[in-house]
């Protein structure tokens, strides 16, 4: 599922990214924010039903790269799909507006992602691991992989900074 944006070669504020936002049908490695200390499982059915809600949502980051800051919106999600157990996303960072991001997110393998939800339905609130059977995505955060609830998430730029600078110089 994707929203098509026209290609604008050398656009100074569109830096393409891709990432693994979460895993489906897999328990989180640790409790995400808002889960009251519970690890969670996002079901495949819930993830697939919620995919349209990801399109056009913002990507944010928090100073220190250790959580979410919904007021620090630094990009937009333009595509999302469930691929096996991975829910993958792609989009653009606002590179000109947030120049500090490019150097930080270039560190190979260091960055991960975390989803932001509303209207989540938990199958059994008394379970030790909460199973999410319904949700609406309201955004995503870029953070250090070690701080993410799912350690196997990832975030990377689609093209190296050197190539981007060369394109901007033209």
């Amino acid at each position: 599922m994707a929203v098509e944006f026209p290609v604008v070669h050398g656009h100074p504020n569109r830096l393409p990214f891709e990432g693994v936002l979460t895993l489906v049908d897999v328990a989180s490695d640790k409790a995400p924010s808002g889960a009251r200390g519970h690890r969670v499982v996002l079901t495949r059915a819930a993830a697939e039903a919620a995919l349209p809600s990801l399109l056009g949502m913002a990507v944010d980051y928090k100073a220190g790269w250790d959580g979410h800051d919904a007021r620090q919106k630094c990009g937009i999600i333009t595509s999302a799909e469930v691929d096996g157990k991975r829910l993958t996303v792609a989009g653009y960072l606002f590179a000109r507006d947030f120049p500090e991001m490019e150097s930080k997110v270039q560190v190979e393998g260091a960055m991960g992602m975390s989803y932001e939800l509303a209207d989540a339905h938990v199958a059994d609130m008394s379970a030790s691991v909460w199973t999410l059977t319904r949700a609406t995505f309201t955004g995503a955060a870029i953070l250090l992989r070690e701080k993410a609830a799912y350690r196997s998430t990832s975030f990377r730029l689609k093209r190296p900074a050197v190539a981007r600078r060369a394109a901007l110089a033209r």
Side-chain angles (χ1 to χ4, degrees):
M1 185 166 291
V3 175
E4 295 263 344
F5 279 72
V7 174
V8 181
H9 294 287
H11 194 299
N13 210 26
R14 278 193 200 168
L15 181 57
F17 74 82
E18 60 190 7
V20 175
L21 178 60
T22 192
L23 300 179
V24 297
D25 290 332
V26 174
S28 60
D29 296 307
K30 64 180 189 177
S33 274
R36 301 183 200 156
H38 294 267
R39 293 170 51 221
V40 300
V41 173
L42 178 63
T43 65
R44 173 178 298 280
E48 288 174 345
L51 276 181
S53 69
L54 263 173
L55 299 183
M57 288 297 98
V59 175
D60 61 60
Y61 78 106
K62 180 180 171 191
W65 303 94
D66 60 353
H68 298 247
D69 184 349
R71 294 176 175 254
Q72 201 64 14
K73 298 187 185 316
C74 60
I76 186 169
I77 296 170
T78 60
S79 70
E81 70 176 317
V82 176
D83 178 15
K85 294 233 178 247
R86 302 174 328 144
L87 192 162
T88 62
V89 294
Y92 298 101
L93 291 183
F94 304 137
R96 186 172 179 154
D97 297 341
F98 296 89
E100 70 278 10
M101 295 206 59
E102 190 171 1
S103 62
K104 180 62 180 180
V105 299
Q106 287 285 30
V107 179
E108 188 62 38
M111 304 310 286
M113 297 190 81
S114 180
Y115 54 72
E116 296 166 353
L117 297 176
D119 305 326
H121 179 264
V122 177
D124 178 2
M125 296 286 284
S126 65
S128 61
V129 176
W130 282 358
T131 299
L132 306 180
T133 59
R134 186 175 60 243
T136 301
F137 289 107
T138 58
I142 305 164
L143 67 170
L144 291 167
R145 183 181 283 186
E146 66 196 38
K147 301 293 185 178
Y150 286 88
R151 297 248 166 76
S152 28
T153 62
S154 63
F155 180 90
R156 73 177 194 90
L157 300 177
K158 279 192 174 177
R159 58 190 167 118
V162 174
R164 183 172 163 273
R165 281 194 287 277
L168 291 175
R170 290 184 205 148

